[in-house]
Amino acid sequence: MTKREFRHAVQRGLGSCDLALRDDAARERFLPLLLWACGRDTAYDAQSEDSRGHYLYNLICFYPDETPFLDVIETRLFATMCRRGWEFTQDCDLLACFVPDGVRRAWQILMRCYTELYAILRKTRRRDNAGFRHKRHNFEALCVTLVSLCFEDRARECRIYRRIVRDLGALLREKPLFSFADFDWIQTVGERELGKSAVRKILREPDADIAAYACAMEQYRREWPETRPECDDSRPQNAQEVYEALKAGQYGCSFLWVGRLWRRERPEELARLMEFYYAETDLRTRRELLFILHMKPVARMLRLDVLLADSRSGDEGLSYLAFNALCSHKNERVRAYACALLQGGAHIAEAVSLLAVNYTDADRAALIEAVRRVPIQYGDTRWHRAFHRVMDLFHKHKAHGLNELLPYFYHNTLCSFCRESVVKEMGRRHMLTPALLEEMQYDCNGDIRAYAAKRLRAAEGRAAERKTKGGDAPDE
């Protein structure tokens, strides 16, 4: 494996990195790249994939000295603890992996970060302070890591949970701007990890701060059904009111409005909203109207000529929404449009999506070639959508002759959640070799690891059964 290939694989969380590091010379060669990976969030979408902490830890274990890795992680942990993003969560998870192995420095880093973040929250005076939400969220994420990932010893889990509860109780007593709702995730994880009976026992202990926490929790759970927002009648109730709200600058979350119209079976209001969209000349309002109309099943009701025109718009946002809406249309004009885009070399990812939705067997070569041309980048959802729509062809049993795309998706997608679907499709099509299954046992995706291990066990079982039958066969 070359350095370029290792970097490509570690960004995607592939198990091939684990196999590569088993060679002594390779470990020295790839050390800078692994340090590079520890210094950033390599997950495409950590919210759905989970962080890469456990994956990186397994790679770090090939090195006898964890010091350079801890140096990088510690520096970034404190640099990101007041910022938005998944880097902080990944670093917490990664440090937590070292704790059961007795790496005292990892625990000390986590607790120093805990102390500093807690002190920051205690000094907070307003909820609208810059970064308040990120600091609170990161503190909660750190607490969850401390309770759920650091210890296999039940007694130590209870001790850290007790400390967190006591500190939160003191915070809730001293700072009325905080509420139990700001930290309810910690309680959910605590009950899951320790068990509800153990948690109840801790919350009954004679401590003023713990009592304050327990009281806030009970009040929150008692009042929560009453404090949930009811249907807001102040929101627009018909197409005219939606349009007037948009013209008045009330943007954001407006797709919820069209959902209400759809659920209430008011097609005449949807039709009227579409007419507003067709006639609108103000670019921002037109874009917002399409934003609330571009989802299925409404999008397939939009006029094809209007969507085609807007997909060519110089406004990137309007064009993006129009292409998404066009993906709800199965039509020869859309297929021809996709082919024309591919020939012109523009909007490759969007063209792949459109061609996949309108795929025929005659498009096989064009689709395979186009998929390989799609740029794959972080922060870009277009390639992700395109790959997803091509995978739909496999799920719907329409991907005749497209098997060669599955290994390409496996090795190139940045999303390990999508890779799981690819792996299982390869399994259904008998495309998983023993070597590939061995590699998949070290993938960053836990479900892929479990799937590969299960397939290998089944193969070993079949081999043992054949050997037994062969040994019992009479000599000829």
Side-chain angles (χ1 to χ4, degrees):
M1 180 182 281
T2 66
K3 289 184 177 181
R4 184 175 181 178
E5 290 169 341
F6 185 88
R7 175 168 172 157
H8 178 95
V10 80
Q11 282 181 299
R12 287 151 179 80
L14 292 172
S16 55
C17 292
D18 187 289
L19 301 180
L21 291 177
R22 299 181 184 188
D23 177 74
D24 292 341
R27 283 199 290 275
E28 186 67 26
R29 189 166 72 253
F30 296 143
L31 175 59
L33 291 172
L34 187 53
L35 287 169
W36 171 86
C38 289
R40 55 201 24 84
D41 174 23
T42 54
Y44 177 71
D45 181 5
Q47 188 167 10
S48 62
E49 299 179 69
D50 207 351
S51 81
R52 296 282 173 85
H54 184 268
Y55 171 77
L56 292 172
Y57 170 75
N58 286 335
L59 300 181
I60 293 171
C61 284
F62 282 100
Y63 295 84
D65 183 11
E66 69 274 358
T67 301
F69 300 101
L70 291 177
D71 289 342
V72 171
I73 298 164
E74 180 178 14
T75 299
R76 196 179 70 153
L77 182 76
F78 287 94
T80 60
M81 69 179 184
C82 296
R83 297 207 307 249
R84 177 184 180 184
W86 289 96
E87 293 93 340
F88 181 82
T89 300
Q90 175 176 292
D91 292 337
C92 289
D93 292 351
L94 184 47
L95 286 168
C97 292
F98 288 98
V99 176
D101 288 344
V103 181
R104 186 168 181 79
R105 183 185 170 189
W107 175 248
Q108 291 171 338
I109 293 170
L110 285 169
M111 291 312 297
R112 183 159 63 89
C113 184
Y114 174 91
T115 302
E116 291 192 19
L117 261 180
Y118 182 69
I120 289 172
L121 293 182
R122 291 187 70 174
K123 292 177 182 178
T124 302
R125 296 184 179 181
R126 301 193 315 274
R127 291 185 71 91
D128 59 352
N129 270 356
F132 168 83
R133 180 182 177 188
H134 311 319
K135 297 167 189 173
R136 183 207 58 76
H137 176 270
N138 286 344
F139 181 76
E140 186 178 40
L142 174 56
C143 291
V144 166
T145 297
L146 293 173
V147 172
S148 62
L149 298 180
C150 287
F151 304 116
E152 297 173 357
D153 180 354
R154 179 69 169 272
R156 297 184 73 184
E157 286 180 337
C158 288
R159 281 201 297 272
I160 191 61
Y161 171 77
R162 183 182 291 106
R163 172 174 175 174
I164 291 170
V165 165
R166 184 180 291 117
D167 288 341
L168 288 177
L171 186 67
L172 293 172
R173 290 172 65 192
E174 297 171 10
K175 292 285 183 181
L177 65 110
F178 289 101
S179 70
F180 179 83
D182 290 318
F183 308 105
D184 61 327
W185 182 27
I186 298 172
Q187 183 62 23
T188 300
V189 173
E191 291 178 355
R192 184 190 70 203
E193 296 296 323
L194 306 178
K196 292 186 178 181
S197 60
V199 166
R200 282 196 298 268
K201 183 177 179 181
I202 292 173
L203 296 183
R204 286 196 297 264
E205 292 179 1
D207 181 280
D209 292 330
I210 292 178
Y213 175 88
C215 180
M217 181 187 72
E218 290 303 322
Q219 181 179 358
Y220 169 76
R221 291 181 171 178
R222 187 168 56 250
E223 296 176 353
W224 183 72
E226 301 173 5
T227 58
R228 281 181 295 176
E230 299 296 329
C231 181
D232 186 359
D233 291 332
S234 66
R235 287 182 176 178
Q237 302 296 308
N238 55 52
Q240 183 66 40
E241 291 183 8
V242 169
Y243 181 69
E244 289 174 357
L246 293 179
K247 295 300 285 186
Q250 297 180 29
Y251 302 111
C253 295
S254 50
F255 65 92
L256 296 173
W257 301 341
V258 77
R260 294 179 69 185
L261 298 179
W262 182 263
R263 288 193 301 273
R264 294 179 181 181
E265 298 182 353
R266 299 176 67 180
E268 73 285 353
E269 294 296 338
L270 287 171
R272 193 174 181 197
L273 202 59
M274 292 175 193
E275 292 302 325
F276 283 129
Y277 160 61
Y278 300 146
E280 185 57 48
T281 56
D282 176 71
L283 190 59
R284 185 172 183 181
T285 305
R286 183 177 183 84
R287 186 171 61 239
E288 193 70 15
L289 283 165
L290 183 53
F291 175 68
I292 64 179
L293 292 168
H294 82 288
M295 298 291 193
K296 292 180 180 179
V298 181
R300 65 172 62 103
M301 299 163 59
L302 293 170
R303 281 169 44 191
L304 195 55
D305 58 325
V306 177
L307 292 176
L308 290 169
D310 278 348
S311 71
R312 303 184 187 99
S313 171
D315 182 86
E316 188 175 342
L318 183 61
S319 174
Y320 174 84
L321 293 170
F323 273 117
N324 281 341
L326 282 169
C327 286
S328 297
H329 289 256
K330 294 185 178 182
N331 185 287
E332 181 56 33
R333 286 180 65 189
V334 177
R335 178 179 171 276
Y337 181 46
C339 293
L341 288 172
L342 292 176
Q343 291 177 359
H347 296 290
I348 301 299
E350 294 89 338
V352 167
S353 290
L354 297 180
L355 191 58
V357 170
N358 292 275
Y359 179 75
T360 68
D361 289 347
D363 299 319
R364 176 186 171 277
L367 185 62
I368 292 173
E369 191 268 340
V371 165
R372 295 177 181 274
R373 290 166 56 196
V374 174
I376 304 171
Q377 300 172 331
Y378 288 103
D380 187 352
T381 62
R382 292 172 297 181
W383 69 266
H384 195 236
R385 289 172 181 265
F387 286 10
H388 181 76
R389 288 188 172 111
V390 174
M391 282 303 300
D392 278 346
L393 293 174
F394 289 92
H395 301 153
K396 296 174 182 177
H397 306 290
K398 296 180 179 180
H400 308 302
L402 297 178
N403 279 8
E404 67 184 87
L405 286 179
L406 292 173
Y408 178 80
F409 287 155
Y410 170 79
H411 286 106
N412 289 280
T413 180
L414 289 169
C415 177
S416 66
F417 186 76
C418 293
R419 184 162 64 248
E420 179 186 344
S421 177
V422 172
V423 166
K424 291 180 178 179
E425 192 62 42
M426 292 175 72
R428 281 191 286 270
R429 292 168 184 263
H430 308 289
M431 298 173 65
L432 297 178
T433 64
L436 203 52
L437 286 170
E438 173 68 17
E439 172 185 312
M440 289 174 182
Q441 290 188 102
Y442 309 101
D443 197 277
C444 70
N445 183 304
D447 290 331
I448 291 178
R449 296 195 299 269
Y451 177 80
K454 181 179 179 180
R455 292 289 298 252
L456 284 171
R457 286 196 302 271
E460 290 170 358
R462 289 193 297 271
E465 185 179 352
R466 286 196 297 269
K467 185 176 180 180
T468 302
K469 289 180 178 180
D472 293 341
D475 295 330
E476 293 183 1

